[in-house]
């Protein structure tokens, strides 16, 4: 196959989908790898290292799109201001794209529909199931680790007060209170980071096992009031999309902690679905002036009703961070992890030198978004219906 690696064009995005190490593996597997010049510079992978690994360096991203059978990306296709056209417009019928498409997010609905119209076969990394045989392909978990760490660091940087308890000649300064909502991979890393910085940490999750893990890291658990049979998927591993009546119960249960929190870290996700709205505007209004919210679930719509995608804004005297590429702010570490994940997935999907999709395979069925000119991703279709209403 011809595999294309393009430079990411989202503002501030420094990651790249392949590194010289994984390019060398792809070339050894018999593939031709086209790399847009400068694609790796933001994460400190140089053109000459790609060339040494066997890549063919290309000046124009449009040439990469026109020649590649498979496009590897970090973020969903964007409008390319330099070329004055959307990346989807550069794609072609039968071409595969493997990236984070986040197909349920309202901001991506038109882009997903446009991909389907062009006959592009979209595979989304946020759909990789969290099962043992898919661990090496699970880019979402890798990036969640980065977002959990860096998200807390960013919140602390924006906070106008100390995080740990500080003793001074004029008295003791109390430690900051951090509330982590959703304690999957990102939430657990956020708890560990906040605790390491000396904060008092509260957390909540609708999954009992996730609460146990958070408690083991020193978080004080806030009971959401959502029964396990409502909260958990059939396999017991993932969170369900819960009915509005239970979301309202959860909001009531956590509103006291929200009001006293200096930092709220939001990472509650349902695989392949819109993120649940857990923090309402009224709850934001209850927070202390100068408090900070970091909403890393924004790629799937966000957990706070007034988070602005891709922006850091101040509303009701609270800083709300909706930056969409926080892992990109740790470009070296996150790129190394991501490149390994995406190579392992590509290797898994490839049979006899070509991608072959077995639609009965759990991994394939979970990541497939567009095929045969149709949107086939269930979470996206459900979100389309909600958005229409």
């Amino acid at each position: 196959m011809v595999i294309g690696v393009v430079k990411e064009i989202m503002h501030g995005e420094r990651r790249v989908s392949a590194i010289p190490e994984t390019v060398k593996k792809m070339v050894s597997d018999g593939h031709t790898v086209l790399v847009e010049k400068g694609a790796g510079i933001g994460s400190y992978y140089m053109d000459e290292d790609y060339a040494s690994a066997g890549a063919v360096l290309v000046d124009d991203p449009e040439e990469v799109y026109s020649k590649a059978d498979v496009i590897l990306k970090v973020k969903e296709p964007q409008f390319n201001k330099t070329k004055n056209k959307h990346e989807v417009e550069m794609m072609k019928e039968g071409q595969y794209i493997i990236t984070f498409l986040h197909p349920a997010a309202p901001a991506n609905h038109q882009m997903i529909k446009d991909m389907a119209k062009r006959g592009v076969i979209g595979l989304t990394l946020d759909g990789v199931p969290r099962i043992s045989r898919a661990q090496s392909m699970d880019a979402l978990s890798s990036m969640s680790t980065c977002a959990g760490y860096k998200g807390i660091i960013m919140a602390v940087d924006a906070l106008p007060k100390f995080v740990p308890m500080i003793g001074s000649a004029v008295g003791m300064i109390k430690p900051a209170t951090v509330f982590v909502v959703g304690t999957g991979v990102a939430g657990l890393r956020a708890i560990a980071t906040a605790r390491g910085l000396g904060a008092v940490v509260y957390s909540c999750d609708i999954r009992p096992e996730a609460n146990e893990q958070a408690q083991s890291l020193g978080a004080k658990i806030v009971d959401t009031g959502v029964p396990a049979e409502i909260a958990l998927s059939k396999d017991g591993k993932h969170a369900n999309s819960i009915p509005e009546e239970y979301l309202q119960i959860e909001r009531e249960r956590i509103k006291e902690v929200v009001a006293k929190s200096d930092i709220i870290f939001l990472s509650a996700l349902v695989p392949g679905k819109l993120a649940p709205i857990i923090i309402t505007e009224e709850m934001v209004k209850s927070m202390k002036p100068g408090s900070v919210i970091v909403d890393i679930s924004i790629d799937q719509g966000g957990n706070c009703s007034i988070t602005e995608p891709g922006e850091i804004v101040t509303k009701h005297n609270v800083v709300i961070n909706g930056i969409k590429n926080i892992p990109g702010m740790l470009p070296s570490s996150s790129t190394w992890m991501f490149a390994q994940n995406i190579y392992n997935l590509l290797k898994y999907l490839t049979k006899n030198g070509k991608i072959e999709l077995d639609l009965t395979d759990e991994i394939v069925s979970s990541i497939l978004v567009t095929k045969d000119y149709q949107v086939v991703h269930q979470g996206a279709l459900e979100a389309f219906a909600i958005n229409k209403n």
Side-chain angles (χ1 to χ4, degrees):
M1 291 185 293
V2 177
I3 297 168
V5 177
V6 292
K7 186 174 183 178
E8 298 296 321
I9 57 174
M10 177 181 278
H11 178 70
E13 181 56 77
R14 297 168 63 188
R15 291 172 292 175
V16 64
S17 59
I19 60 177
E21 180 184 342
T22 58
V23 166
K24 188 174 182 179
K25 291 179 183 178
M26 288 185 269
V27 173
S28 295
D29 292 338
H31 306 304
T32 298
V33 183
L34 307 180
V35 177
E36 183 184 349
K37 287 182 180 178
I41 289 175
S43 46
Y44 305 101
Y45 294 100
M46 302 298 134
D47 286 348
E48 54 266 32
D49 296 322
Y50 285 104
S52 297
V56 177
L57 295 174
V58 178
D59 288 302
D60 189 342
E62 204 158 1
E63 182 181 346
V64 178
Y65 281 104
S66 69
K67 292 181 176 179
D69 301 304
V70 184
I71 295 291
L72 304 183
K73 278 186 99 287
V74 178
K75 299 301 292 184
E76 69 271 18
Q78 314 272 321
F79 185 82
N80 188 319
K81 293 179 182 177
T82 302
K83 304 295 292 186
N84 198 33
K85 63 170 65 175
H86 201 284
E87 287 180 306
V88 172
E89 294 179 74
M90 303 183 206
M91 301 180 74
K92 60 187 180 182
E93 180 185 11
Q95 189 172 55
Y96 290 87
I97 181 169
I98 305 176
T99 185
F100 280 115
L101 288 170
H102 299 293
N108 294 336
H109 288 180
Q110 189 57 52
M111 178 268 295
I112 295 296
K113 292 174 183 176
D114 290 343
M115 278 177 49
K117 286 178 186 176
R118 291 187 81 86
V120 175
I121 304 163
L123 303 171
T124 189
L125 293 167
D126 54 295
V128 174
R130 284 180 170 162
I131 56 177
S132 57
R133 64 190 178 93
Q135 283 181 346
S136 68
M137 315 166 204
D138 188 359
L140 186 59
S141 288
S142 295
M143 297 305 99
S144 293
T145 298
C146 299
Y149 168 78
K150 189 66 173 179
I152 289 293
I153 299 298
M154 293 169 69
V156 168
D157 190 48
L159 193 69
K161 60 183 287 186
F162 287 115
V163 171
M165 180 182 288
I166 297 290
S168 75
V170 291
M172 296 294 292
I173 299 175
K174 293 180 180 179
T177 298
V178 175
F179 184 29
V180 177
V181 179
T183 52
V185 175
L188 293 174
R189 176 49 52 194
I191 290 169
T193 304
R195 288 271 297 161
L197 291 170
V200 174
V201 181
Y202 292 82
S203 75
C204 72
D205 199 294
I206 60 175
R207 298 165 297 167
E209 185 179 348
N211 286 325
E212 290 172 13
Q213 292 173 327
Q215 192 168 30
S216 73
L217 291 174
K220 300 178 181 182
I221 307 302
V222 181
D223 181 12
T224 64
V226 181
E229 62 269 22
I230 298 293
L232 296 175
S233 58
K234 290 180 181 178
D235 61 11
K237 297 178 182 178
H238 304 294
N240 267 334
S241 289
I242 62 175
E244 179 61 31
E245 62 191 277
Y246 284 102
L247 275 174
Q248 191 54 43
I249 290 170
E250 181 175 0
R251 293 180 193 122
E252 284 296 318
R253 293 289 187 98
I254 69 174
K255 69 179 184 180
E256 185 178 330
V257 177
V258 167
K260 70 179 182 181
S261 295
D262 298 294
I263 292 171
I264 298 180
F265 181 89
L266 299 173
S267 61
L269 294 174
V270 178
K273 304 288 182 70
L274 272 172
I277 297 296
I278 296 171
I279 305 296
T280 65
E281 185 168 8
E282 286 303 310
M283 295 166 82
V284 175
K285 289 179 181 178
S286 76
M287 296 176 69
K288 294 174 285 186
S291 300
V292 181
I293 294 173
V294 176
D295 191 349
I296 73 159
S297 67
I298 192 61
D299 272 321
Q300 288 177 226
N303 292 144
C304 175
S305 64
I306 56 173
T307 304
E308 293 190 16
E311 303 293 336
I312 300 174
V313 297
T314 299
K315 297 182 179 181
H316 310 300
N317 296 309
V318 175
V319 175
I320 304 174
N321 187 328
I323 293 297
K324 297 184 73 174
N325 61 331
I326 291 176
M329 296 177 178
L330 288 170
S332 294
S333 295
S334 59
T335 285
W336 184 84
M337 297 168 79
F338 184 92
Q340 306 293 341
N341 292 141
I342 204 168
Y343 169 76
N344 290 335
L345 178 59
L346 179 68
K347 181 84 170 178
Y348 178 80
L349 297 173
T350 302
K351 306 289 187 295
N352 303 313
K354 300 287 183 183
I355 290 181
E356 294 182 11
L357 299 181
D358 175 3
L359 301 184
T360 65
D361 181 270
E362 182 181 359
I363 296 172
V364 173
S365 62
S366 297
I367 66 174
L368 187 60
V369 178
T370 56
K371 186 178 184 294
D372 298 330
Y373 300 94
Q374 299 290 323
V375 178
V376 296
H377 187 275
Q378 192 58 40
L381 293 171
E382 291 174 10
F384 288 178
I386 292 170
N387 201 40
K388 182 181 285 188
N389 294 334

